[in-house]
Each structure stands twice: as structure tokens, then as C-alpha cells.
Amino acid sequence: MTDVVLPCRNEAPALPGLLARIPAGYRPIVVDNGSTDDSAEVARAHGAEVISVADPGYGAAVHAGVVAADPVDGVVCVMDADGSFDPAQLPRLAACVHTGQAQLATGRRRPVGRGVWPLHARAANAVLAHRLRRTTGLNVHDIGPMRAVRRDDLLALGLRDRRFGYPLELLIEAGRAGWRVVEIDVDYHPRAAGTRSKVTGTLLGTARAVRDMSAVLAR
């Protein structure tokens, strides 16, 4: 059984459809990170394991979910809980790690329609990815929120960021460690109705993410 960590804050409208599409052989772990709606109750009602994390931040939620993942299978996936990604594509990423093709497989977002990925967020992502390639030599074009990696390998990296800088820190440390990293195209859909992005949904959210990621790059 491969665990899927789903960091979650106020994603109740997205969870029923998302959890219904989790592939066989994959176990969803919804990490409730301060939701004020009924995300936790909805997740449990649809068969997910739910853990709560009091410390705010994307990195805090992902780290807690990875720690809670079952080490037996060895591979853990991470994906946003807002309905913007198709969990049916997770096995493509996980297979790269299971077979040894890569130590980290990360998704490169490919929008399925206009307006899915706002211009301000896409531009900020492109700038950060360019700086990442120059810093690490990794052939990565997206600081994306969908990935697969071996649980113990990830924990051994000792990532410190607990906010929006977490995905970038992971790639930087993976590059420094000499990991084989592959980037796989994944569909990027509109978020589920009734949910709102903490990053791409507003200029302020994108600015906060850029701030956190820039701090990671400056270390």
C-alpha cells in the first residue's frame, strides 16, 4: 500500500470527488492544517486517515503526513487536496521511484484549460525554477505540489522549512545529495468549486510563497 499525503486546509468541497478517485493500492492521509470547515469529518466519512497539525504551513502539513506514512511500502506520494490534480496519475510518478528510475519524481503542471494557472503564479514559478536549475543543475521546470519519493530518503534530507518553501527546499537538497530526479507532465485542472488556493488564488498568496522560497534559495 502506497500512502498519499494530502495537505488540507478548508478543502471540504473537493474531498469527496478527490478521495473517490484515489487508485487501488493507494491510501489517502489527509493532514488537516487548521481547517475551519468540516474537512476532517468529510475526509473520514470518505475513508481517509486524518491527522491534525496545529503548526500552520504547507511544509508542516506535508512533514507530518510523511512521518505518519507506513514505512513498509517505502514510497510516499504528496498531492494537493483541492481537486486540481488527478490522483489516477500518481502511479506514473510512484513507478519511477519503485523501479529505481529516480529517487524523486515530481509533477510538471500542464493546465487543461485557460485560466487554470494565473499568469502571476506561473511567472513566479518560472523564475524560481530557472534559479533552481542554475543552483542545482536539476532539469526541473516546476516547483510543483505533486511528487513521489521514498519516505526514509525524504526524512533523511532533514528539511527545515515548514511553510511554502518546503517544495523548493526538497529539490535543492535532492540536488545537493546527488539524487536522480525526474519531472513528469501531469494535468492541472481548475480547483474544485468552493475552494480557494492559498498560493495562486491571490497576488498576496503568491508573494508569500515567493518570499518563503526566496529565503530557501538564499541559504
Side-chain angles (χ1 to χ4, degrees):
M1 186 71 68
T2 301
D3 285 330
V4 182
V5 174
L6 300 162
C8 172
R9 186 165 183 246
N10 295 333
E11 310 287 8
L15 289 171
L18 174 66
L19 294 172
R21 300 196 307 275
I22 296 291
Y26 288 72
R27 180 178 70 121
I29 301 175
V30 172
V31 185
D32 186 31
N33 192 214
S35 294
T36 56
D37 64 5
D38 57 349
S39 289
E41 292 77 10
V42 170
R44 289 190 186 95
H46 288 82
E49 177 180 345
V50 178
I51 61 175
S52 297
V53 177
D55 294 336
Y58 174 84
V62 173
H63 178 72
V66 171
V67 170
D70 187 348
V72 174
D73 177 88
V75 174
V76 61
C77 298
V78 179
M79 186 180 71
D80 280 358
D82 58 12
S84 58
F85 294 98
D86 183 359
Q89 296 184 329
L90 286 172
R92 294 170 51 212
L93 277 71
C96 294
V97 182
H98 277 297
T99 61
Q101 177 184 347
Q103 289 159 286
L104 171 64
T106 183
R108 182 178 184 179
R109 286 170 282 188
R110 297 296 192 181
V112 300
R114 296 182 63 182
V116 173
W117 197 355
L119 181 60
H120 65 271
R122 188 185 296 202
N125 180 79
V127 170
L128 288 165
H130 176 69
R131 293 176 63 185
L132 173 71
R133 291 194 297 275
R134 287 195 309 169
T135 301
T136 66
L138 294 178
N139 187 29
V140 172
H141 302 81
D142 188 5
I143 317 299
M146 187 175 184
R147 66 192 73 94
V149 61
R150 290 199 177 277
R151 174 187 179 274
D152 291 348
D153 287 349
L154 176 53
L155 293 175
L157 285 181
L159 303 183
R160 295 178 292 159
D161 195 279
R162 294 295 180 262
R163 301 186 70 83
F164 291 130
Y166 181 96
L168 181 58
E169 184 183 16
L170 168 57
L171 289 165
I172 290 173
E173 294 303 323
R176 288 174 177 168
W179 283 15
R180 297 180 303 279
V181 178
V182 298
E183 189 175 57
I184 297 173
D185 288 354
V186 295
D187 295 337
Y188 193 39
H189 299 268
R191 294 172 56 90
T195 66
R196 186 179 184 183
S197 173
K198 288 75 179 171
V199 177
T200 62
T202 65
L203 287 170
L204 179 59
T206 298
R208 286 172 174 166
V210 170
R211 176 201 62 195
D212 291 349
M213 292 187 183
S214 295
V216 170
L217 280 168
R219 288 178 188 165

